[in-house]
Amino acid sequence: MVIPLNLSEITPDWLQQAFRSSDEFADVEVEDITCENIGEGTGIFGEIGLLSLSYSSQGEAPDSLVVKLPCVEPENLAIAQALGIYAREVAFYRTVSVTSVLRVPKCFYSQMGEDGRFVLLIEDLSLDYTVGDQIEGATHEQVLNAIDALAQLHADWWENPELESLDWLPLPDDPAYMAAVPEIYRGGIPVLVNEWVGKIPDESIKIAQALEPRFEELMFKFAGGPHTLSHADTRLDNLFFSKTGSSEVAFIDFQLCLRARGINDIAYLVGNSVPQEIASTNWESYIQHWINALKTHGVEYDFDDAVDHYRQAVLYYTVGAMSLIASFDTGNERGAAMAEAYVTRIFTHVVDIGAGVVLEG
């Protein structure tokens, strides 16, 4: 099948072919599709559409689906293809998602092209869940529920020998990362210095400048163990919270998943999606909550080690802020607001948790 170039090419005929690749929906007859672009201002590396479907013969086929395609912004696309993130997400849905303890969308169809393009048809979680809002920021309860879900995932894969068999799942110091990520970070330094003074703490800019010549050193530290399956993009726009009031949290977007430390997911969530007044006073208790949750699943982790690794992760994830201010096209006003929330929160968090100590060793 031809992979659509954009959302407008998702037609009833194309979807009909996709459904018929599965025995589950072989008899489905698609009559019409309406497509709403739901990725603007939220998806950096992908074009995302919500498909509302009508059928002449439906069977068990869903009334709505989410379709995911590569992004169209040249700068974002170049980075996505350099890091191989599209093939990674397709591999996740074809393998790990099938038995994952983490609540993730069901995948109805996936295809990876030789040209690096892809398409995914996945479950519409919005029927039962409400997506988080990174601009507004997470509540304390949302953070705790997300940590509980992530701890179960981390424990399930903690130093699991099967990680080695996932050859599509890179380490954070994978050669592709080492080639691309430091330059992304360094490209943001002039913008940070010239345009963000007064918006973020002065101390955070000094730390960013001190980190510039040592970023590769930080990457090697960040890539250390213990290893598990890390989501690696736990910003609030990728988390869905139950409409029924239960504590269940569902996760989307596995383009950046890694073989890495589990604490990284906690640092990423708190560092860029939690309002400063909550994050600054609760970050250590969030680490302890995660450690306690791991213990219920049979995994022990030292608190002091976790704090050290958390600080490394927060410092590393400032590269995401650098990419947003210097390299990526954020799409629209909401995307710009999301980027500003990320940048101001992560650099403020660097100061609040004393992450500069990482550079003293």
Side-chain angles (χ1 to χ4, degrees):
M1 289 177 58
V2 174
I3 295 177
L5 292 174
N6 52 54
L7 293 177
S8 67
E9 294 192 2
I10 304 291
T11 64
D13 286 343
W14 183 90
L15 187 61
Q16 184 74 66
Q17 292 183 64
F19 273 150
R20 287 183 175 171
S21 69
S22 166
D23 292 338
E24 184 179 5
F25 302 123
D27 297 328
V28 166
E29 297 287 343
V30 180
E31 189 172 86
D32 195 20
I33 296 174
T34 59
C35 180
E36 176 188 358
N37 189 331
I38 59 173
E40 290 184 332
T42 59
I44 299 298
F45 289 123
E47 191 175 14
I48 308 168
L50 177 62
L51 306 180
S52 298
L53 312 174
S54 60
Y55 303 87
S56 54
S57 175
Q58 182 172 4
E60 298 297 321
D63 293 327
S64 59
L65 283 172
V66 171
V67 59
K68 192 167 185 180
L69 296 169
C71 60
V72 296
E73 300 82 3
E75 299 87 352
N76 305 17
L77 184 61
I79 293 173
Q81 292 181 326
L83 297 179
I85 67 174
Y86 298 144
R88 197 181 317 175
E89 185 164 41
V90 169
F92 173 87
Y93 276 109
R94 289 179 175 176
T95 56
V96 174
S97 74
V98 179
T99 58
S100 177
V101 296
L102 198 67
R103 176 66 170 96
V104 301
K106 179 180 178 180
C107 183
F108 296 98
Y109 179 78
S110 64
Q111 185 181 350
M112 189 72 213
E114 294 182 0
D115 61 353
R117 294 179 53 77
F118 81 109
V119 60
L120 285 171
L121 291 175
I122 58 177
E123 177 186 3
D124 173 17
L125 292 178
S126 68
L127 300 175
D128 300 310
Y129 299 85
T130 301
V131 66
D133 186 334
Q134 189 173 351
I135 298 172
E136 180 179 338
T139 66
H140 181 64
E141 182 181 11
Q142 286 177 329
V143 177
L144 295 179
N145 289 341
I147 289 174
D148 287 337
L150 288 166
Q152 188 174 2
L153 171 73
H154 297 154
D156 194 47
W157 285 95
W158 197 272
E159 296 288 13
N160 191 324
E162 291 187 25
L163 280 171
E164 298 292 334
S165 68
L166 305 179
D167 56 3
W168 49 268
L169 188 67
L171 289 161
D173 60 353
D174 181 87
Y177 274 79
M178 297 303 299
V181 175
E183 294 311 307
I184 294 173
Y185 182 84
R186 293 183 176 114
I189 288 288
V191 182
L192 191 75
V193 172
N194 293 327
E195 299 181 16
W196 286 83
V197 171
K199 298 180 182 179
I200 59 176
D202 291 342
E203 183 182 348
S204 69
I205 296 179
K206 293 178 182 177
I207 292 172
Q209 291 173 306
L211 176 59
E212 180 182 8
R214 301 175 60 185
F215 196 81
E216 287 86 353
E217 176 187 335
L218 174 64
M219 289 184 70
F220 286 122
K221 288 182 178 181
F222 178 72
H227 291 145
T228 185
L229 178 60
S230 168
H231 181 284
D233 195 10
T234 51
R235 59 190 178 90
L236 204 57
D237 283 345
N238 289 334
L239 277 62
F240 284 70
F241 300 91
S242 173
K243 290 181 178 179
T244 66
S246 80
S247 61
E248 185 178 51
V249 182
F251 290 74
I252 64 167
D253 201 343
F254 293 87
Q255 294 181 339
L256 299 179
C257 60
L258 292 169
R259 188 174 2 141
R261 293 178 184 139
I263 192 66
N264 299 350
D265 286 338
I266 312 306
Y268 193 85
L269 170 65
V270 178
N272 73 57
S273 291
V274 178
Q276 192 264 343
E277 62 271 17
I278 299 176
S280 62
T281 56
N282 290 286
W283 67 277
E284 289 179 295
S285 70
Y286 290 149
I287 293 174
Q288 188 62 61
H289 187 89
W290 177 71
I291 290 173
N292 293 344
L294 285 178
K295 192 171 183 178
T296 66
H297 299 291
V299 174
E300 299 282 346
Y301 199 58
D302 181 76
F303 178 79
D304 290 338
D305 287 343
V307 169
D308 288 344
H309 297 160
Y310 183 97
R311 286 177 171 141
Q312 291 176 18
V314 169
L315 203 56
Y316 173 81
Y317 283 127
T318 58
V319 72
M322 295 298 200
S323 64
L324 289 170
I325 65 176
S327 303
F328 288 170
D329 183 343
T330 54
N332 60 10
E333 288 185 11
R334 191 190 188 283
M338 183 273 290
E340 183 167 354
Y342 184 124
V343 176
T344 54
R345 285 183 185 141
I346 196 72
F347 278 108
T348 300
H349 204 52
V350 163
V351 175
D352 287 344
I353 68 171
V357 73
V358 173
L359 301 178
E360 295 176 6

